[in-house]
Amino acid sequence: MRLAIINDEASQDIHAAAAEAHRLGFGGLEIRSSGGVPPHLMDDAQLAAVRDAVTGHGLEIAGFDPPALKCALPRTGAEVAAARDLVVDAVRRAELLGAPFVRIFTFYREGDPDPRRAAKAAREVLDGVPADRVPLLVETGMRTNSPTMRHTLEFLDALGDDRLAVLWDPGNSVFSGWDPAPFPQDYALGRERIRHVHVKDPDGQSGYVRLGDGDLPWPAILNTLAEDGYRHWLSLETHWRIGRKPLTQQQRDEPWGEEFTAGGFEASSQCMRLLREMTEAARTAHTDPAKATA
């Protein structure tokens, strides 16, 4: 298991985020906004500067997070084209960054999740997208048509494209209200298709809290991932802030800029320490089972 953090959870200053991640023993930064610029609006010079800052601190780019398919279901040819253009450009940007994947969603839902309808629309949007150049990972998204693993798998099965895999975010499943306990059942359903994990800890549907203080049994999740030989990134998406009210829906929908990041540095530092400790304990328990019961 490799540790990363989404950079703008800590700081809009990419150097500050990278330096803190390195100091705390993390190996990567997953890229969202930087310098107040959303990921899908960065120009090539800004992307290159982000890449060079991350690698300059001895870290890797752990992923790229544009708002791809994070919109209403497209109803016109122009809307389909706009959604496709964003994904195509995201792949290009991810290549420039050296990112191992582009995160996508399954459109905002209208009422109950409808992953098959979303897959029909996504099939049209993704037609011609070069997903063989940079993998596309589908997130279990809080307000989308795939808030849980079962919804995400139904979407992928209906889409019928084996190049896509799952970005599992159990915090989103809890916060959505569709699955208050996504572990172990949700994980067991999708374990073979999970290629990335977002780590955050919800307090029901009211907000997010310090890692370990919320609804998800992260030590048990990490133990299971270690037992299963998970070798991909665990990426902290703190969503908890010190000294301010919980993030609003709009801030979670558009997680970029200082309005989103403010208060996140110390909160993320605390959670990085906790995630590192939990992960080290899981590794130790897996390699030395006697210590698990000591």
Side-chain angles (χ1 to χ4, degrees):
M1 295 183 286
R2 312 175 70 195
L3 298 181
I5 180 172
I6 300 178
N7 68 291
D8 59 6
E9 292 286 350
S11 178
Q12 285 293 318
D13 181 336
I14 193 69
H15 288 280
E20 185 69 353
H22 178 76
R23 185 181 74 84
L24 293 173
F26 277 45
L29 285 189
E30 186 172 341
I31 304 305
R32 203 159 51 196
S33 65
S34 179
V37 183
H40 56 302
L41 298 181
M42 292 183 197
D43 62 30
D44 286 3
Q46 290 168 324
L47 290 165
V50 166
R51 179 197 63 209
D52 293 347
V54 173
T55 58
H57 285 275
L59 305 179
E60 296 180 43
I61 302 289
F64 183 54
D65 295 346
L69 278 63
K70 195 176 186 183
C71 57
L73 282 161
R75 302 182 183 278
T76 67
E79 289 174 346
V80 169
R84 181 186 297 119
D85 288 347
L86 196 156
V87 181
V88 169
D89 192 56
V91 169
R92 184 190 67 80
R93 292 166 186 269
E95 287 183 308
L96 195 158
L97 282 168
F101 69 83
V102 171
R103 184 272 314 275
I104 70 171
F105 291 96
T106 57
F107 306 107
Y108 287 133
R109 63 178 179 267
E110 302 169 0
D112 290 351
D114 192 344
R116 292 187 175 276
R117 183 183 178 199
K120 182 178 179 181
R123 192 179 302 113
E124 187 175 5
V125 168
L126 298 177
D127 182 38
V129 171
D132 52 340
R133 285 165 40 191
V134 178
L136 304 180
L137 300 188
V138 180
E139 180 166 342
T140 49
M142 193 272 289
R143 290 213 300 130
T144 72
N145 285 286
S146 57
T148 72
M149 182 65 75
R150 64 181 176 83
H151 291 116
T152 306
L153 296 178
E154 186 177 352
F155 170 86
L156 288 172
D157 290 345
L159 185 66
D161 189 336
D162 292 336
R163 296 175 299 174
L164 277 67
V166 175
L167 191 162
W168 187 45
D169 189 327
N172 282 343
S173 299
V174 174
F175 203 84
S176 74
W178 281 90
D179 193 343
F183 180 83
Q185 292 86 354
D186 240 25
Y187 169 74
L189 282 174
R191 66 201 303 171
E192 299 299 327
R193 302 179 79 169
I194 295 172
R195 295 294 179 271
H196 193 79
V197 177
H198 277 175
V199 179
K200 56 180 181 275
D201 216 346
D203 179 15
Q205 294 178 269
S206 62
Y208 289 89
V209 295
R210 187 176 67 172
L211 190 65
D213 292 347
D215 295 330
L216 286 169
W218 278 110
I221 293 172
L222 296 172
N223 281 335
T224 299
L225 287 169
E227 290 171 4
D228 287 350
Y230 180 79
R231 293 293 181 268
H232 305 289
W233 292 101
L234 296 168
S235 194
L236 180 67
E237 188 181 20
T238 320
H239 268 26
W240 168 55
R241 300 289 183 264
I242 295 176
R244 60 179 287 191
K245 294 179 180 179
L247 296 173
T248 66
Q249 183 65 64
Q250 182 176 353
Q251 289 164 346
R252 294 193 305 272
D253 285 347
E254 299 179 354
W256 40 73
E258 191 58 37
E259 184 180 356
F260 168 79
T261 300
F265 190 88
E266 178 56 32
S268 292
S269 296
Q270 289 188 28
C271 290
M272 278 193 279
R273 293 188 191 96
L274 290 164
L275 180 57
R276 186 189 64 210
E277 292 168 3
M278 291 178 189
T279 305
E280 289 172 351
R283 287 172 179 153
T284 299
H286 178 62
T287 56
D288 188 354
K291 293 184 180 180
T293 57

